[in-house]
């Protein structure tokens, strides 16, 4: 029962500032370890978590508190969790049925999965042992933006993606049901002579789609890609698609459509090209049924299909485009969201290279406007919309390799202005969000959070300035079509948190 | 009787005309509290009463109070009746402030300051009902309840024993927060227990004061029963938003009231492993228990009281509810009052249409500037305030592209109800500029 706070006909006391009450407040203050948003695969937010250290306990244990807010910023739970004092929170996911936290105990070398059912009651904690090597690799992977450890299976359970120290490095996907069913594990062969990593790229109630990358050694530029479709209930491999040298592809997006057909989207390369080195030839879409049979595929080449249509939009030719996301809409179209960039020399980079005896890259990537490509259902490019954005620069990750490869590496380091895209399937909308450094005539340049919104077949934009009137604003993702603003008033030294809807005008 | 807001509207004052006199009054009563302090914590007591005065002044700066001479004047005869019937009460240090909160409540600060929430006027129906509440608050003052609570606080935290306990907790190496929370829990339970006892005492003494007035004693039970919000919303008057914000050219869309179905948990209240016992944290005994005690002390039959003075206060208060909510950008509460008053024919058409059009413009500007969430609370999964939640859902669901059209057609189709051409044009021009492609009829 929650309503306006009411104490019917009261005496009014306030004891905020007396010395002893300050002291007791200081003791009872929980220490925040980390916090974040509980994201869905559409980049919407189910809620927010705050992980606190509450107390040190005897025998190497600690008491933690997990505060959970719903997607409207209401506190819905504060749960106690006693465990090792070496616990580190990795990820939090929600599967419509249960909420799951993945932790790593660095001392005991163990993964803990701590879940809560829909009544916020704690589920049985699952523990998975790791070797020292596995622990180190998982900690390293966690620093990268493209590693996900935990995947929700809608209304079923959770998948844990972990490194396995086989003959060479491999992977294991463990399934932990939260709604009945059996647990299972699927992984790379223990005796494999290649390093094999995996990333589940799409999971629904029936299937998990796994992208497997294998290469002979750590420094090898020969990468083989395999897409695997696995029955999420049994853990059995249903089909696999090898993306061999005849048709090299870099798959950037994948999803299961309403008919459980697998839609793969990305860039394609010439036969015998090495993805790590070569420049891509264009974009492709491939649709496969659950047996792995290709039912449809289309390509759009940079040279023949895309470049002619870009002439009206981009004047200079030495630009590349990095695609961050490809979004399907209800009319069967695909919208590819990208940023324009080019490789330029950087004076700072040259100086750094001199200081580091040539180990630092001297080039940088200059990132400019946002672009949205409209492809029809057969992947014919219909239109390109350009959205002006200020120029920003990021150091090139390496002077070698293609600009596109550098761009891929830069994405993992958060170097582009692109933030995320939210997909609102109910309203057939999407929101592509960027940070923009606006260069304004006659006034100070401003940082802005810019959103390009697709609604009813049209684009509009919304903008929130991040630094104005003595306030410093940070944006956090929120539920679909919204953002959370953290507004810090420098003078008053006050932080205001509020959720706002992104505007469609 | 609907109130004609526009013609009679006087802007609300959030600061008093006699600011200097108010400052002098607060200084005088604060100094008196410090000078007459009899306990063992003189330094802390001085600090406490000074901080309390600062806090009160901050509330005035934050526009928490309404300085409405009309309401103050209308209330005075009710207060005079209480004072003349109870000569043991010395009201020379008393001052009653009107808090703009829509929650029906009143409070005694212990130094002669009282506040009455604006929302209380919409709940009370007779002079007698309001008089009983005033008697209850005055009883708190007469029984020194605030001083006793403050002293209990000092005993727990500032005494030698209390300090030693806190120091010992502070030195703990393991489980320090848990021990501090335990200590804090014991302290809180004791405070709330005292508070519940104080409320019962204030009911009893308040009733004695009240029975000596000319008012019908049964009013005490009626108003107390109305203050039982355990199982009902506070702002529960129907608003019929789909009906009142519907226009022929741009009909109200059911999607604007669509409920979210994405919740992490299915809970009736916050699942808090650190929560204290709810019953032990009640500041007041349950209303049914308080009613039983009152009933035993009353012999009168139930007679409806008169609303001689209160009727004028209620009208004024209604107008203030809307204006204060609009002034403070509490646009959810503002629309609730506009719709609920108009729906129940307590508000004339001129005021309703003009103020609602103004509100739609303000809503547009807040959404456009990404500031709405600063002033309008999000929908809570535990809230019983269904009418208010419907408004919040509407604010959340309606897109700017819909709002500009709704504002435009709301103005055009209700032009005849606006108080004047000038007021119509002020708002219509705003929506017209947002809809250059609509050809008005």
């Amino acid at each position: 029962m929650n309503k306006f706070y009411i104490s019917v006909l009261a005496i009014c006391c306030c004891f905020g500032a007396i010395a002893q009450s300050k002291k007791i407040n200081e003791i009872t203050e929980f220490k925040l370890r980390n916090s974040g948003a509980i994201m869905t695969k559409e980049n919407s937010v189910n809620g927010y978590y705050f992980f606190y250290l509450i107390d040190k306990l005897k025998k190497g244990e600690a008491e933690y508190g997990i505060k959970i807010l719903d997607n409207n910023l209401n506190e819905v739970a504060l749960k106690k969790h006693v465990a090792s004092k070496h616990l580190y929170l990795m990820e939090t996911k929600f599967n419509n049925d249960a909420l799951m936290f993945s932790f790593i105990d660095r001392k005991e070398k163990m993964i803990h999965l701590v879940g809560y059912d829909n009544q916020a009651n704690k589920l049985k904690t699952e523990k998975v042992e790791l070797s020292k090597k596995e622990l180190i690799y998982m900690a390293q992977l966690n620093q990268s933006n493209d590693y996900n450890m935990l995947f929700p299976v809608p209304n079923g359970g959770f998948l844990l993606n972990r490194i396995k120290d086989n003959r060479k490095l491999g992977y294991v996907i463990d399934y932990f049901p939260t709604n009945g069913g059996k647990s299972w594990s699927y992984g790379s062969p223990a005796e494999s002579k290649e390093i094999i990593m995996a990333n589940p790229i799409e999971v629904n109630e029936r299937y998990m789609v796994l992208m497997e990358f294998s290469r002979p050694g750590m420094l090898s530029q020969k990468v083989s890609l395999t897409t695997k479709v696995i029955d999420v209930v049994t853990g059995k491999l249903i089909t696999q698609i090898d993306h061999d040298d005849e048709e090299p592809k870099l798959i950037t997006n994948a999803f299961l459509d309403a008919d459980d057909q697998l839609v793969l989207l990305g860039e394609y390369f010439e036969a015998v090209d090495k993805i790590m080195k070569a420049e891509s030839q264009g974009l492709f879409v491939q649709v496969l049924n659950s047996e792995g049979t290709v039912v449809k595929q289309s390509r759009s080449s940079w040279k023949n299909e895309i470049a002619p249509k870009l002439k009206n939009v981009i004047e200079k030719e030495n630009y590349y485009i990095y695609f961050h996301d490809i979004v399907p809409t209800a009319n069967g179209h695909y919208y590819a969201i990208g940023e324009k960039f080019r490789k330029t020399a950087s004076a700072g980079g040259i100086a750094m290279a001199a200081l580091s005896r040539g180990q630092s890259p001297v080039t940088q990537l200059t990132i400019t406007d946002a672009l949205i490509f409209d492809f029809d259902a057969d992947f014919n490019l219909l239109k390109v919309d350009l959205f002006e954005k200020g120029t920003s620069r990021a150091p090139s990750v390496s002077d070698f390799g293609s600009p596109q490869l550098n761009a891929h590496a830069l994405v993992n380091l958060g170097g582009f202005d692109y933030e995320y895209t939210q997909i609102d399937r109910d309203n057939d909308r999407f929101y592509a969000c960027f940070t923009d450094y606006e260069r304004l005539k006659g006034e100070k340049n401003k940082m802005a959070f810019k959103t390009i919104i697709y609604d009813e077949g049209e684009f509009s934009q919304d903008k929130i300035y991040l630094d104005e009137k003595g306030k410093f604003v940070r944006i956090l993702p929120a539920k679909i079509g919204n953002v959370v603003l953290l507004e810090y008033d420098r003078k008053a030294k006050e932080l205001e948190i509020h959720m706002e809807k992104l505007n469609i005008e | 009787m609907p109130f004609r807001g526009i013609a009679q509207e006087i802007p609300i004052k959030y600061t008093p005309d006699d600011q200097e006199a108010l400052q002098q009054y607060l200084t005088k009563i604060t100094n008196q509290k410090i000078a007459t302090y009899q306990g063992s914590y003189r330094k802390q007591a001085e600090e406490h009463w000074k901080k309390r005065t600062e806090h009160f002044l901050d509330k005035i700066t934050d526009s928490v109070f309404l300085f409405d001479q009309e309401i103050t004047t209308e209330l005075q005869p009710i207060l005079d009746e209480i004072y003349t019937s109870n000569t043991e009460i010395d009201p020379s240090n008393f001052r009653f402030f009107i808090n703009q909160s829509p929650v029906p409540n009143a409070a005694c600060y212990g130094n002669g300051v009282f506040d009455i929430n604006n929302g209380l006027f919409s709940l009370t129906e007779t002079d007698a009902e309001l008089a009983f509440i005033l008697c209850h608050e005055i009883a708190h003052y007469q029984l020194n309840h605030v001083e006793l609570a403050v002293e209990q606080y000092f005993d727990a935290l500032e005494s030698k024993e209390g300090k030693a306990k806190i120091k010992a907790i502070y030195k703990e190496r393991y489980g320090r927060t848990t021990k501090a929370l335990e200590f804090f829990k014991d302290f809180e339970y004791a405070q709330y227990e005292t508070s519940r006892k104080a409320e019962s005492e204030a009911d009893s003494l308040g009733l004695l004061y009240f029975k000596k007035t000319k008012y019908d004693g049964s009013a005490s039970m009626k108003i107390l029963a109305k203050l039982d919000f355990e199982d009902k919303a506070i702002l529960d008057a129907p608003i019929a938003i789909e009906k009142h914000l519907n226009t022929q050219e741009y009909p109200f869309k059911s999607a604007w009231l669509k409920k979210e179905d994405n919740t992490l948990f299915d809970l009736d209240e916050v699942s808090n492993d650190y929560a204290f016992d709810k019953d032990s944290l009640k500041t007041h005994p349950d209303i049914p228990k308080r009613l039983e005690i009152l009933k035993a002390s009353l012999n009168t039959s139930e007679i409806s009281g008169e609303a001689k003075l209160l009727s004028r206060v209620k009208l004024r208060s209604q107008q203030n509810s809307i204006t204060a909510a609009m002034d403070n950008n509490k646009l959810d509460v503002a629309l609730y009052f506009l719709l609920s008053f108009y729906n129940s024919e307590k508000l004339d058409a001129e005021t309703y249409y003009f103020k609602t059009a103004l509100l739609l413009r303000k809503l547009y500007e807040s959404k456009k500037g990404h500031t709405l969430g600063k002033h309008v609370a999000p929908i809570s999964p535990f809230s019983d305030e269904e009418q208010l939640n419907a408004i919040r859902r509407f604010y959340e669901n309606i897109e700017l592209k819909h709002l500009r059209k709704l504002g435009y057609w709301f103005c055009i189709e209700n032009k005849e109800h606006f108080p004047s051409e000038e007021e119509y044009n002020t708002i219509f021009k705003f929506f017209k500029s947002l809809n250059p492609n609509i050809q008005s009829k």
Side-chain angles (χ1 to χ4, degrees), chain B residues 397-417:
Chain B
N397 290 329
I398 193 166
E399 301 291 349
L400 225 49
K401 65 177 180 177
H402 300 137
L403 187 55
R404 66 179 159 85
K405 289 180 196 162
L406 174 65
Y408 179 90
W409 290 111
F410 186 85
C411 287
I412 286 198
E413 292 184 15
N414 299 298
K415 185 178 178 183
E416 67 198 270
H417 298 301

PDB file of all heavy atoms in Angstrom, chain B residues 397-417:
ATOM      1  N   ASN B 397       2.049   8.490 -21.962  1.00  0.00           N
ATOM      2  CA  ASN B 397       1.762   7.871 -23.262  1.00  0.00           C
ATOM      3  C   ASN B 397       1.588   8.871 -24.396  1.00  0.00           C
ATOM      4  O   ASN B 397       1.883   8.562 -25.551  1.00  0.00           O
ATOM      5  CB  ASN B 397       0.504   7.002 -23.174  1.00  0.00           C
ATOM      6  CG  ASN B 397       0.731   5.749 -22.343  1.00  0.00           C
ATOM      7  OD1 ASN B 397       1.837   5.219 -22.316  1.00  0.00           O
ATOM      8  ND2 ASN B 397      -0.292   5.284 -21.653  1.00  0.00           N
ATOM      9  N   ILE B 398       1.077  10.034 -24.082  1.00  0.00           N
ATOM     10  CA  ILE B 398       0.765  10.957 -25.179  1.00  0.00           C
ATOM     11  C   ILE B 398       2.072  11.523 -25.757  1.00  0.00           C
ATOM     12  O   ILE B 398       2.948  11.984 -25.032  1.00  0.00           O
ATOM     13  CB  ILE B 398      -0.217  12.079 -24.739  1.00  0.00           C
ATOM     14  CG1 ILE B 398      -0.748  12.815 -25.964  1.00  0.00           C
ATOM     15  CG2 ILE B 398       0.405  13.032 -23.728  1.00  0.00           C
ATOM     16  CD1 ILE B 398      -1.953  13.695 -25.688  1.00  0.00           C
ATOM     17  N   GLU B 399       2.197  11.403 -27.078  1.00  0.00           N
ATOM     18  CA  GLU B 399       3.389  11.940 -27.740  1.00  0.00           C
ATOM     19  C   GLU B 399       3.184  13.431 -27.977  1.00  0.00           C
ATOM     20  O   GLU B 399       2.057  13.906 -28.078  1.00  0.00           O
ATOM     21  CB  GLU B 399       3.606  11.243 -29.093  1.00  0.00           C
ATOM     22  CG  GLU B 399       3.771   9.743 -29.026  1.00  0.00           C
ATOM     23  CD  GLU B 399       5.077   9.315 -28.368  1.00  0.00           C
ATOM     24  OE1 GLU B 399       5.941  10.169 -28.144  1.00  0.00           O
ATOM     25  OE2 GLU B 399       5.201   8.110 -28.055  1.00  0.00           O
ATOM     26  N   LEU B 400       4.285  14.127 -28.152  1.00  0.00           N
ATOM     27  CA  LEU B 400       4.213  15.564 -28.398  1.00  0.00           C
ATOM     28  C   LEU B 400       3.379  15.871 -29.650  1.00  0.00           C
ATOM     29  O   LEU B 400       2.628  16.828 -29.697  1.00  0.00           O
ATOM     30  CB  LEU B 400       5.642  16.102 -28.564  1.00  0.00           C
ATOM     31  CG  LEU B 400       5.995  17.389 -27.842  1.00  0.00           C
ATOM     32  CD1 LEU B 400       5.582  17.383 -26.392  1.00  0.00           C
ATOM     33  CD2 LEU B 400       7.479  17.664 -27.955  1.00  0.00           C
ATOM     34  N   LYS B 401       3.510  14.990 -30.650  1.00  0.00           N
ATOM     35  CA  LYS B 401       2.787  15.221 -31.914  1.00  0.00           C
ATOM     36  C   LYS B 401       1.270  15.106 -31.706  1.00  0.00           C
ATOM     37  O   LYS B 401       0.498  15.684 -32.461  1.00  0.00           O
ATOM     38  CB  LYS B 401       3.265  14.235 -32.993  1.00  0.00           C
ATOM     39  CG  LYS B 401       2.963  12.784 -32.703  1.00  0.00           C
ATOM     40  CD  LYS B 401       3.396  11.882 -33.848  1.00  0.00           C
ATOM     41  CE  LYS B 401       3.071  10.438 -33.524  1.00  0.00           C
ATOM     42  NZ  LYS B 401       3.383   9.513 -34.592  1.00  0.00           N
ATOM     43  N   HIS B 402       0.867  14.332 -30.702  1.00  0.00           N
ATOM     44  CA  HIS B 402      -0.566  14.226 -30.392  1.00  0.00           C
ATOM     45  C   HIS B 402      -1.005  15.384 -29.507  1.00  0.00           C
ATOM     46  O   HIS B 402      -2.101  15.923 -29.662  1.00  0.00           O
ATOM     47  CB  HIS B 402      -0.864  12.903 -29.668  1.00  0.00           C
ATOM     48  CG  HIS B 402      -0.514  11.702 -30.472  1.00  0.00           C
ATOM     49  ND1 HIS B 402       0.128  10.611 -29.944  1.00  0.00           N
ATOM     50  CD2 HIS B 402      -0.701  11.429 -31.790  1.00  0.00           C
ATOM     51  CE1 HIS B 402       0.310   9.708 -30.895  1.00  0.00           C
ATOM     52  NE2 HIS B 402      -0.176  10.178 -32.023  1.00  0.00           N
ATOM     53  N   LEU B 403      -0.140  15.743 -28.580  1.00  0.00           N
ATOM     54  CA  LEU B 403      -0.479  16.791 -27.613  1.00  0.00           C
ATOM     55  C   LEU B 403      -0.714  18.130 -28.304  1.00  0.00           C
ATOM     56  O   LEU B 403      -1.624  18.878 -27.936  1.00  0.00           O
ATOM     57  CB  LEU B 403       0.646  16.887 -26.576  1.00  0.00           C
ATOM     58  CG  LEU B 403       0.423  17.814 -25.385  1.00  0.00           C
ATOM     59  CD1 LEU B 403      -0.860  17.490 -24.635  1.00  0.00           C
ATOM     60  CD2 LEU B 403       1.614  17.730 -24.420  1.00  0.00           C
ATOM     61  N   ARG B 404       0.109  18.429 -29.308  1.00  0.00           N
ATOM     62  CA  ARG B 404      -0.079  19.728 -29.974  1.00  0.00           C
ATOM     63  C   ARG B 404      -1.430  19.778 -30.703  1.00  0.00           C
ATOM     64  O   ARG B 404      -2.098  20.799 -30.729  1.00  0.00           O
ATOM     65  CB  ARG B 404       1.085  20.051 -30.905  1.00  0.00           C
ATOM     66  CG  ARG B 404       1.240  19.156 -32.099  1.00  0.00           C
ATOM     67  CD  ARG B 404       2.427  19.617 -32.960  1.00  0.00           C
ATOM     68  NE  ARG B 404       2.920  18.561 -33.812  1.00  0.00           N
ATOM     69  CZ  ARG B 404       2.416  18.264 -35.005  1.00  0.00           C
ATOM     70  NH1 ARG B 404       1.394  18.947 -35.468  1.00  0.00           N
ATOM     71  NH2 ARG B 404       2.916  17.285 -35.726  1.00  0.00           N
ATOM     72  N   LYS B 405      -1.840  18.612 -31.229  1.00  0.00           N
ATOM     73  CA  LYS B 405      -3.143  18.573 -31.927  1.00  0.00           C
ATOM     74  C   LYS B 405      -4.282  18.641 -30.917  1.00  0.00           C
ATOM     75  O   LYS B 405      -5.285  19.323 -31.141  1.00  0.00           O
ATOM     76  CB  LYS B 405      -3.254  17.298 -32.768  1.00  0.00           C
ATOM     77  CG  LYS B 405      -2.353  17.304 -33.980  1.00  0.00           C
ATOM     78  CD  LYS B 405      -2.513  16.024 -34.768  1.00  0.00           C
ATOM     79  CE  LYS B 405      -1.356  15.838 -35.746  1.00  0.00           C
ATOM     80  NZ  LYS B 405      -1.228  14.477 -36.207  1.00  0.00           N
ATOM     81  N   LEU B 406      -4.122  17.918 -29.810  1.00  0.00           N
ATOM     82  CA  LEU B 406      -5.164  17.935 -28.780  1.00  0.00           C
ATOM     83  C   LEU B 406      -5.345  19.369 -28.264  1.00  0.00           C
ATOM     84  O   LEU B 406      -6.487  19.849 -28.139  1.00  0.00           O
ATOM     85  CB  LEU B 406      -4.778  16.994 -27.629  1.00  0.00           C
ATOM     86  CG  LEU B 406      -5.704  17.020 -26.415  1.00  0.00           C
ATOM     87  CD1 LEU B 406      -7.098  16.516 -26.765  1.00  0.00           C
ATOM     88  CD2 LEU B 406      -5.136  16.183 -25.278  1.00  0.00           C
ATOM     89  N   GLY B 407      -4.240  20.054 -27.989  1.00  0.00           N
ATOM     90  CA  GLY B 407      -4.321  21.436 -27.490  1.00  0.00           C
ATOM     91  C   GLY B 407      -5.006  22.341 -28.490  1.00  0.00           C
ATOM     92  O   GLY B 407      -5.847  23.169 -28.130  1.00  0.00           O
ATOM     93  N   TYR B 408      -4.688  22.145 -29.745  1.00  0.00           N
ATOM     94  CA  TYR B 408      -5.253  22.977 -30.810  1.00  0.00           C
ATOM     95  C   TYR B 408      -6.780  22.809 -30.870  1.00  0.00           C
ATOM     96  O   TYR B 408      -7.526  23.776 -30.824  1.00  0.00           O
ATOM     97  CB  TYR B 408      -4.600  22.551 -32.128  1.00  0.00           C
ATOM     98  CG  TYR B 408      -5.072  23.277 -33.353  1.00  0.00           C
ATOM     99  CD1 TYR B 408      -4.450  24.440 -33.764  1.00  0.00           C
ATOM    100  CD2 TYR B 408      -6.130  22.772 -34.115  1.00  0.00           C
ATOM    101  CE1 TYR B 408      -4.878  25.108 -34.903  1.00  0.00           C
ATOM    102  CE2 TYR B 408      -6.563  23.431 -35.247  1.00  0.00           C
ATOM    103  CZ  TYR B 408      -5.935  24.592 -35.641  1.00  0.00           C
ATOM    104  OH  TYR B 408      -6.366  25.240 -36.761  1.00  0.00           O
ATOM    105  N   TRP B 409      -7.208  21.544 -30.945  1.00  0.00           N
ATOM    106  CA  TRP B 409      -8.651  21.301 -31.090  1.00  0.00           C
ATOM    107  C   TRP B 409      -9.402  21.572 -29.801  1.00  0.00           C
ATOM    108  O   TRP B 409     -10.573  21.965 -29.827  1.00  0.00           O
ATOM    109  CB  TRP B 409      -8.913  19.877 -31.602  1.00  0.00           C
ATOM    110  CG  TRP B 409      -8.485  19.726 -33.034  1.00  0.00           C
ATOM    111  CD1 TRP B 409      -7.443  18.989 -33.508  1.00  0.00           C
ATOM    112  CD2 TRP B 409      -9.067  20.364 -34.172  1.00  0.00           C
ATOM    113  NE1 TRP B 409      -7.329  19.115 -34.862  1.00  0.00           N
ATOM    114  CE2 TRP B 409      -8.308  19.961 -35.318  1.00  0.00           C
ATOM    115  CE3 TRP B 409     -10.139  21.239 -34.361  1.00  0.00           C
ATOM    116  CZ2 TRP B 409      -8.608  20.409 -36.596  1.00  0.00           C
ATOM    117  CZ3 TRP B 409     -10.432  21.676 -35.648  1.00  0.00           C
ATOM    118  CH2 TRP B 409      -9.681  21.266 -36.750  1.00  0.00           C
ATOM    119  N   PHE B 410      -8.759  21.380 -28.668  1.00  0.00           N
ATOM    120  CA  PHE B 410      -9.397  21.688 -27.388  1.00  0.00           C
ATOM    121  C   PHE B 410      -9.739  23.182 -27.334  1.00  0.00           C
ATOM    122  O   PHE B 410     -10.821  23.571 -26.896  1.00  0.00           O
ATOM    123  CB  PHE B 410      -8.457  21.305 -26.229  1.00  0.00           C
ATOM    124  CG  PHE B 410      -9.064  21.456 -24.864  1.00  0.00           C
ATOM    125  CD1 PHE B 410      -9.825  20.444 -24.305  1.00  0.00           C
ATOM    126  CD2 PHE B 410      -8.881  22.622 -24.130  1.00  0.00           C
ATOM    127  CE1 PHE B 410     -10.389  20.579 -23.036  1.00  0.00           C
ATOM    128  CE2 PHE B 410      -9.451  22.769 -22.872  1.00  0.00           C
ATOM    129  CZ  PHE B 410     -10.200  21.737 -22.325  1.00  0.00           C
ATOM    130  N   CYS B 411      -8.814  23.997 -27.811  1.00  0.00           N
ATOM    131  CA  CYS B 411      -9.065  25.448 -27.824  1.00  0.00           C
ATOM    132  C   CYS B 411     -10.189  25.790 -28.806  1.00  0.00           C
ATOM    133  O   CYS B 411     -11.157  26.461 -28.451  1.00  0.00           O
ATOM    134  CB  CYS B 411      -7.804  26.211 -28.217  1.00  0.00           C
ATOM    135  SG  CYS B 411      -6.546  26.237 -26.949  1.00  0.00           S
ATOM    136  N   ILE B 412     -10.040  25.304 -30.031  1.00  0.00           N
ATOM    137  CA  ILE B 412     -11.025  25.672 -31.070  1.00  0.00           C
ATOM    138  C   ILE B 412     -12.446  25.242 -30.690  1.00  0.00           C
ATOM    139  O   ILE B 412     -13.383  26.022 -30.755  1.00  0.00           O
ATOM    140  CB  ILE B 412     -10.618  25.040 -32.422  1.00  0.00           C
ATOM    141  CG1 ILE B 412      -9.428  25.809 -32.980  1.00  0.00           C
ATOM    142  CG2 ILE B 412     -11.790  25.022 -33.395  1.00  0.00           C
ATOM    143  CD1 ILE B 412      -9.181  25.620 -34.448  1.00  0.00           C
ATOM    144  N   GLU B 413     -12.577  24.002 -30.262  1.00  0.00           N
ATOM    145  CA  GLU B 413     -13.934  23.487 -30.020  1.00  0.00           C
ATOM    146  C   GLU B 413     -14.569  24.049 -28.747  1.00  0.00           C
ATOM    147  O   GLU B 413     -15.768  23.913 -28.541  1.00  0.00           O
ATOM    148  CB  GLU B 413     -13.902  21.948 -29.971  1.00  0.00           C
ATOM    149  CG  GLU B 413     -13.588  21.348 -31.338  1.00  0.00           C
ATOM    150  CD  GLU B 413     -13.633  19.826 -31.363  1.00  0.00           C
ATOM    151  OE1 GLU B 413     -14.176  19.225 -30.419  1.00  0.00           O
ATOM    152  OE2 GLU B 413     -13.116  19.255 -32.343  1.00  0.00           O
ATOM    153  N   ASN B 414     -13.758  24.664 -27.899  1.00  0.00           N
ATOM    154  CA  ASN B 414     -14.322  25.210 -26.648  1.00  0.00           C
ATOM    155  C   ASN B 414     -14.136  26.714 -26.529  1.00  0.00           C
ATOM    156  O   ASN B 414     -14.194  27.265 -25.439  1.00  0.00           O
ATOM    157  CB  ASN B 414     -13.677  24.502 -25.444  1.00  0.00           C
ATOM    158  CG  ASN B 414     -13.953  23.010 -25.474  1.00  0.00           C
ATOM    159  OD1 ASN B 414     -15.106  22.591 -25.419  1.00  0.00           O
ATOM    160  ND2 ASN B 414     -12.902  22.209 -25.630  1.00  0.00           N
ATOM    161  N   LYS B 415     -13.938  27.344 -27.674  1.00  0.00           N
ATOM    162  CA  LYS B 415     -13.656  28.783 -27.691  1.00  0.00           C
ATOM    163  C   LYS B 415     -14.713  29.581 -26.917  1.00  0.00           C
ATOM    164  O   LYS B 415     -14.401  30.498 -26.169  1.00  0.00           O
ATOM    165  CB  LYS B 415     -13.590  29.264 -29.145  1.00  0.00           C
ATOM    166  CG  LYS B 415     -13.183  30.703 -29.289  1.00  0.00           C
ATOM    167  CD  LYS B 415     -13.084  31.113 -30.738  1.00  0.00           C
ATOM    168  CE  LYS B 415     -12.727  32.603 -30.812  1.00  0.00           C
ATOM    169  NZ  LYS B 415     -12.682  33.078 -32.191  1.00  0.00           N
ATOM    170  N   GLU B 416     -15.977  29.182 -27.099  1.00  0.00           N
ATOM    171  CA  GLU B 416     -17.077  29.938 -26.475  1.00  0.00           C
ATOM    172  C   GLU B 416     -17.021  29.926 -24.943  1.00  0.00           C
ATOM    173  O   GLU B 416     -17.580  30.788 -24.273  1.00  0.00           O
ATOM    174  CB  GLU B 416     -18.415  29.340 -26.916  1.00  0.00           C
ATOM    175  CG  GLU B 416     -18.604  27.942 -26.365  1.00  0.00           C
ATOM    176  CD  GLU B 416     -19.662  27.126 -27.068  1.00  0.00           C
ATOM    177  OE1 GLU B 416     -20.803  27.193 -26.645  1.00  0.00           O
ATOM    178  OE2 GLU B 416     -19.300  26.419 -28.031  1.00  0.00           O
ATOM    179  N   HIS B 417     -16.301  28.919 -24.393  1.00  0.00           N
ATOM    180  CA  HIS B 417     -16.245  28.812 -22.928  1.00  0.00           C
ATOM    181  C   HIS B 417     -15.104  29.614 -22.316  1.00  0.00           C
ATOM    182  O   HIS B 417     -15.010  29.710 -21.100  1.00  0.00           O
ATOM    183  CB  HIS B 417     -16.071  27.346 -22.505  1.00  0.00           C
ATOM    184  CG  HIS B 417     -17.208  26.473 -22.922  1.00  0.00           C
ATOM    185  ND1 HIS B 417     -18.500  26.705 -22.524  1.00  0.00           N
ATOM    186  CD2 HIS B 417     -17.250  25.377 -23.722  1.00  0.00           C
ATOM    187  CE1 HIS B 417     -19.286  25.788 -23.049  1.00  0.00           C
ATOM    188  NE2 HIS B 417     -18.555  24.969 -23.789  1.00  0.00           N
TER     189      HIS B 417
END
